[in-house]
Amino acid sequence: MTTSRQTYDETLRTLSEGSVRVHFDAFTDIDWDNPDFAVDPKDPRWVLPEADPLGGHPWYRAQTPERQAEIGLWRYANIAKVGMQFENVLMRGALDYLFSLPNQDPEFRYLTHEITEETHHTQMFQEFVNRTGVDVHGGRLSFRLVSRLLPLAGSVLPEAFFTGVLAGEEPIDHLQKAILRSGEQGHPLLRRIMQIHVAEEARHISFAHAFLRDKVPGYGKVRRGALSLTFPVIMRVLGDVMVIPDRRTAEKMGVPQQVIKDVFWRSEDGRTLLRDLYADVRMLAEDIGLMNKASRRVWRMLRIDGRPSRYRSQPA
């Protein structure tokens, strides 16, 4: 009979082999100097699609095409910068977790593959930001300050750390897939970056799900109870960091603060999207015993409750 640990180890071997067979290099697999990849702030291909929360808002749709393109470039550049910062934290925390792993532990091999891939992602995101010429600062100030300490959770509170990994990866993955599935014409450079990111993040998200499925059921009642309450909080806080431009960025983009508040997440469409972003992790929380009477109240209070996915990446 196959044990849960054997299943987990097999998952790690599969993910590691996948990283060997299919992987990308930021400066080999993107033709940065392709004339069609050139960045022109007035290029209509930077206009945000309706699959983007801001792109579907009436205020944005009422702007001139040139203004829409300019705002779209700002938004894409800032998301890329936040992504670079988040993956920098992920790599430092994963290295901290790996430092004391015992010999023969298959987590070591897979996580070093993931760190290698995330290194290429940070290069890819920063190169994109550099080529836009837009001076974005990425995440809100509080995140940038706390990011100096967050990697310590990799070894001290690994279940919280890998919950945070999912909190940063799941919302962006959801939005990128929605944009790619929409069929709307976008800038080919951005599309190539999203294709690479979605392909490799599928493995990274799979690992974080598998890690929590393997570890959490074996925790004591107190530790599981604490995680059940902090799990939705981590999801909402870090998810907002990844998706919502802060006040300073919104001002530079020229987007009224009222529009930002409406989009994230006061409008009916915004509230629906907010719940949709967390369908996969609600499924995970149900499966590993983190949904209870108290934690369900927290999910509801944070407005990220709802029906769980039936399978990973189920379209909304």
Side-chain angles (χ1 to χ4, degrees):
M1 182 177 178
T2 303
T3 66
S4 60
R5 181 65 205 197
Q6 288 172 325
T7 300
Y8 179 53
D9 288 353
E10 182 59 34
T11 298
L12 294 175
R13 281 191 291 272
T14 300
L15 292 173
S16 294
E17 290 165 4
S19 290
V20 172
R21 289 195 306 270
V22 181
H23 56 271
F24 301 91
D25 184 292
F27 295 101
T28 299
D29 295 294
I30 298 177
D31 186 5
W32 294 101
D33 295 325
N34 184 328
D36 200 40
F37 283 10
V39 177
D40 176 358
K42 298 188 184 302
D43 190 328
R45 294 176 298 181
W46 294 120
V47 173
L48 295 171
E50 291 195 20
D52 180 90
L54 179 58
H57 194 275
W59 178 86
Y60 179 78
R61 289 294 166 189
Q63 304 304 304
T64 65
E66 292 80 9
R67 187 77 183 105
Q68 288 183 21
E70 183 182 6
I71 294 171
L73 184 60
W74 263 92
R75 174 149 172 78
Y76 288 134
N78 198 66
I79 289 175
K81 186 71 173 184
V82 177
M84 184 281 291
Q85 293 165 340
F86 173 80
E87 295 191 341
N88 179 286
V89 173
L90 187 160
M91 290 188 292
R92 286 184 283 134
L95 286 167
D96 190 51
Y97 175 76
L98 289 173
F99 190 82
S100 300
L101 279 185
N103 298 330
Q104 310 299 331
D105 194 320
E107 287 180 346
F108 183 90
R109 178 184 171 186
Y110 174 69
L111 270 174
T112 50
H113 280 307
E114 179 169 335
I115 291 164
T116 300
E117 291 164 359
E118 297 292 23
T119 300
H120 289 299
H121 293 180
T122 60
Q123 292 176 320
M124 179 173 70
F125 290 152
Q126 188 60 53
E127 183 67 16
F128 174 72
V129 172
N130 293 347
R131 286 174 181 258
T132 66
V134 177
D135 187 21
V136 290
H137 63 262
R140 61 186 67 164
L141 178 61
S142 58
F143 169 72
R144 285 180 281 136
L145 292 175
V146 175
S147 69
R148 311 308 302 172
L149 302 175
L150 290 178
L152 296 175
S155 58
V156 178
L157 292 168
E159 66 272 25
F161 177 77
F162 286 103
T163 296
V165 168
L166 282 178
E169 290 177 335
E170 290 273 14
I172 293 299
D173 186 67
H174 181 99
L175 292 175
Q176 287 180 334
K177 285 177 179 174
I179 291 171
L180 291 172
R181 287 168 177 157
S182 72
E184 293 189 50
Q185 184 180 11
H187 198 283
L189 173 59
L190 182 69
R191 178 167 290 271
R192 182 59 179 151
I193 289 171
M194 287 195 294
Q195 288 169 340
I196 290 173
H197 193 243
V198 165
E200 292 193 324
E201 286 301 305
R203 286 194 293 265
H204 305 171
I205 292 171
S206 292
F207 169 73
H209 276 257
F211 179 93
L212 293 170
R213 287 179 186 277
D214 180 70
K215 311 293 184 188
V216 173
Y219 292 160
K221 186 176 180 179
V222 172
R223 192 171 180 180
R224 280 201 319 274
L227 183 60
S228 74
L229 297 175
T230 55
F231 190 94
V233 175
I234 294 171
M235 287 292 158
R236 178 65 197 271
V237 171
L238 284 180
D240 281 0
V241 168
M242 298 300 295
V243 177
I244 305 175
D246 68 1
R247 184 180 293 272
R248 178 182 167 193
T249 300
E251 289 175 354
K252 286 188 173 183
M253 289 165 59
V255 181
Q257 195 60 32
Q258 188 56 46
V259 172
I260 297 295
K261 290 179 179 179
D262 191 38
V263 172
F264 309 103
W265 307 97
R266 291 183 180 178
S267 68
E268 184 176 346
D269 288 344
R271 290 193 296 269
T272 299
L273 176 60
L274 178 62
R275 288 183 167 86
D276 289 345
L277 293 178
Y278 298 98
D280 282 6
V281 291
R282 288 195 297 269
M283 176 183 66
L284 174 65
E286 292 274 10
D287 291 348
I288 61 178
L290 295 182
M291 284 293 192
N292 52 57
K293 184 180 289 187
S295 66
R296 288 183 195 278
R297 289 196 188 100
V298 179
W299 285 89
R300 190 163 51 251
M301 180 181 68
L302 295 172
R303 296 182 296 164
I304 55 174
D305 59 321
R307 197 169 44 183
S309 294
R310 291 183 289 113
Y311 53 88
R312 279 268 316 279
S313 298
Q314 178 185 357

